[in-house]
Amino acid sequence: MEVRGPYSNIKAQVRALEELREKLPSLDTPEPSSIKHDRPGRARQLRAEQIEQLIAGYRSGATVYELGDQFGIERRTVSNILHRHGVPMRRRGLTPDQVDHAIHLYNLGWSLARVGEHLGVNHTTVLNKLRERGIPTRDTHGRPRVEAGGPR
């Protein structure tokens, strides 16, 4: 019995596989050191004088986001440092006039993120204020949100 069809002449396939194999690195080739791993690194430790600068910066009006960028740390780390050192935190809320403005912008079609950026607050702050005022919100696709337990 003779084998025919796609497997009858495999010379071209074998040649293509051999060419591919030649392009692969040898098994004893060391792994390149430039490969980045997804493992988080160790948190950056600030020196005492940097902590003093951070606290002074916050007291002079810098935000935790700005200080995080300046010192190369997360904004939560900035908040933790300030908390550990007994620095009273500023709560950046929205005034009633700013909430009215936020509602106006949101009704014009602005996203929560864009409104928050415009007003210098987090988008969740805007969302919470809209909810407090009973303003219906949209999902990420611009459709009215269906509240839990509401009609489907």
Side-chain angles (χ1 to χ4, degrees), residues 100-114:
D100 292 340
H101 187 55
I103 291 168
H104 174 71
L105 295 175
Y106 188 74
N107 286 335
L108 289 176
W110 285 34
S111 68
L112 292 171
R114 186 174 174 203

Side-chain angles (χ1 to χ4, degrees), residues 6-25:
Y7 302 111
S8 62
N9 185 1
I10 61 170
K11 287 181 185 175
Q13 294 169 341
V14 170
R15 197 173 18 251
L17 284 173
E18 285 174 346
E19 288 173 11
L20 284 174
R21 196 190 84 213
E22 288 172 11
K23 292 179 182 179
L24 291 173

Side-chain angles (χ1 to χ4, degrees), residues 59-81:
R59 286 186 171 147
S60 67
T63 67
V64 292
Y65 293 95
E66 292 166 344
L67 293 167
D69 289 344
Q70 180 182 341
F71 289 95
I73 57 177
E74 286 282 321
R75 67 124 182 115
R76 289 177 297 222
T77 306
V78 173
S79 297
N80 290 339
I81 290 169

Side-chain angles (χ1 to χ4, degrees), residues 50-131:
Q50 289 176 307
I51 291 174
E52 289 174 23
Q53 291 171 354
L54 183 142
I55 292 170
Y58 185 77
R59 286 186 171 147
S60 67
T63 67
V64 292
Y65 293 95
E66 292 166 344
L67 293 167
D69 289 344
Q70 180 182 341
F71 289 95
I73 57 177
E74 286 282 321
R75 67 124 182 115
R76 289 177 297 222
T77 306
V78 173
S79 297
N80 290 339
I81 290 169
L82 295 171
H83 187 73
R84 272 196 312 267
H85 289 83
V87 177
M89 299 295 291
R90 296 187 299 269
R91 295 288 178 216
R92 296 248 10 239
L94 294 173
T95 66
D97 286 342
Q98 287 176 314
V99 175
D100 292 340
H101 187 55
I103 291 168
H104 174 71
L105 295 175
Y106 188 74
N107 286 335
L108 289 176
W110 285 34
S111 68
L112 292 171
R114 186 174 174 203
V115 173
E117 186 176 325
H118 177 72
L119 295 172
V121 296
N122 192 285
H123 69 279
T124 20
T125 302
V126 177
L127 176 63
N128 291 335
K129 292 299 179 183
L130 293 181
R131 286 180 175 163

